[in-house]
Amino acid sequence: MTYLDWLKQATLRLNGGDSPRRDAEILLGFVTGRTRTFLMAFCETVLTQSELAQLDTFLSRRHAGEPIAYITGVKEFWSLNFNVSPSTLIPRPDTEKLVELALECLPQTPCEVLDLGTGTGAIAIAMATERPDCLFTAVDKSEEALMLAQTNARQIGANNVYFLQGNWYKPTRGRKFSMITSNPPYIDPTDVHLSQGDVRYEPRSALVSEDDGFADIKLIVQGATRHLNQYGWLLIEHGWKQGEAVQTIFKQRGFQLVRTYTDYSGNERVTVGRWFKP
């Protein structure tokens, strides 16, 4: 069977998904070790029996709904390749908006940044590659997630990121930072979307938060008042209908210049606030 024949067959089998053709191309490229350009230019290349067997296994997993990133073990974020596993959330393009805003708010001089619930390390590592003069501390309560994040930092070459295990601010021991970033759990436990799509395979602890999805956001905002330097920034990613409520949480804790930004799809995604203690 040729590359082209397999792509046609796989696309038909995955029909009904978000992007069946692209999913098939990613799987084919992963198994053959070829670029997308090569696959198209040499579409009459014949697959080996070993490649066909591996593709059949991966295609079955994708057809069952398993995320492409968990099948290949890799996801691109901020033009960097991150290792992923079922112990972490899959980095999403929407989160790049948080990185973009954070880089805009960072002081031009060297400073320290705290990333809470770092997962794969995507936010901290992406920022660290842009600001090698700054020191980034990434915290996660999952040992498995931290090991993966450390591997990502090493492979990408982000030597200015340090990793600590613990729940939210606990491992920071009273330290203060010029910026705190986080993509915390923010989905209501009763949300029907938890049983749909890729999130079915992602760790529930990284998705779900009590109090209608706001419990962890409230903890982060409250703790930020003790861990931010004067005029420091707090940036939190949240759900597309949570902007107004998150702004209220920020303002109740004394944050100023509070504003919610939309992601690249036009949905509310990141709320930003600046800490000022009179």
Side-chain angles (χ1 to χ4, degrees), residues 23-35:
D23 288 352
E25 289 174 348
I26 291 172
L27 292 178
L28 182 59
F30 179 68
V31 169
T32 62
R34 302 294 190 178
T35 65

Side-chain angles (χ1 to χ4, degrees), residues 190-201 204:
T190 63
D191 194 312
V192 296
H193 296 96
L194 290 168
S195 60
Q196 303 171 5
D198 289 357
V199 295
R200 292 175 295 165
Y201 290 82
R204 193 174 178 88

Side-chain angles (χ1 to χ4, degrees), residues 9-21 23-24 27 59 62-64 68:
Q9 175 183 292
T11 301
L12 285 173
R13 186 174 178 186
L14 295 176
N15 188 33
D18 292 334
S19 53
R21 174 72 181 196
D23 288 352
L27 292 178
L59 189 61
R62 182 56 184 151
H63 185 257
I68 285 284

Side-chain angles (χ1 to χ4, degrees), residues 66-207:
E66 186 174 352
I68 285 284
Y70 286 161
I71 297 173
T72 63
V74 179
K75 177 66 175 181
E76 183 179 308
F77 179 86
W78 203 255
S79 299
L80 304 168
N81 287 326
F82 284 84
N83 296 303
V84 298
S85 79
S87 67
T88 64
L89 288 181
I90 299 168
R92 288 170 167 78
D94 292 340
T95 304
E96 292 188 356
K97 185 64 178 182
L98 189 154
V99 174
E100 177 186 313
L101 291 168
L103 291 171
E104 291 177 2
C105 293
L106 271 182
Q108 293 184 356
T109 53
C111 64
E112 291 195 42
V113 178
L114 174 63
D115 183 44
L116 295 172
T118 198
T120 60
I123 293 171
I125 293 171
M127 292 180 65
T129 62
E130 301 286 346
R131 289 295 302 269
D133 59 319
C134 296
L135 177 65
F136 295 82
T137 299
V139 173
D140 203 289
K141 64 181 179 181
S142 166
E143 181 180 2
E144 191 175 353
L146 279 180
M147 291 177 63
L148 185 68
Q150 287 175 315
T151 298
N152 283 328
R154 184 171 59 252
Q155 291 182 354
I156 291 171
N159 300 318
N160 52 331
V161 186
Y162 296 85
F163 299 90
L164 297 174
Q165 184 179 2
N167 194 41
W168 300 132
Y169 296 100
K170 190 174 182 180
T172 60
R173 299 181 180 180
R175 291 170 56 196
K176 290 196 173 186
F177 304 85
S178 296
M179 177 177 287
I180 297 172
T181 62
S182 184
N183 178 15
Y186 54 74
I187 300 178
D188 187 310
T190 63
D191 194 312
V192 296
H193 296 96
L194 290 168
S195 60
Q196 303 171 5
D198 289 357
V199 295
R200 292 175 295 165
Y201 290 82
E202 295 181 281
R204 193 174 178 88
S205 62
L207 293 166

Side-chain angles (χ1 to χ4, degrees), residues 169 180 219-229 234 255 275:
Y169 296 100
I180 297 172
L219 286 173
I220 292 169
V221 175
Q222 178 180 354
T225 63
R226 300 189 302 273
H227 291 274
L228 277 174
N229 294 322
L234 174 63
F255 280 86
W275 175 242

Side-chain angles (χ1 to χ4, degrees), residues 176 225 228-231 254 256 274-278:
K176 290 196 173 186
T225 63
L228 277 174
N229 294 322
Q230 185 80 305
Y231 305 115
Q256 300 184 20
R274 199 172 197 185
W275 175 242
F276 172 74
K277 186 175 182 179

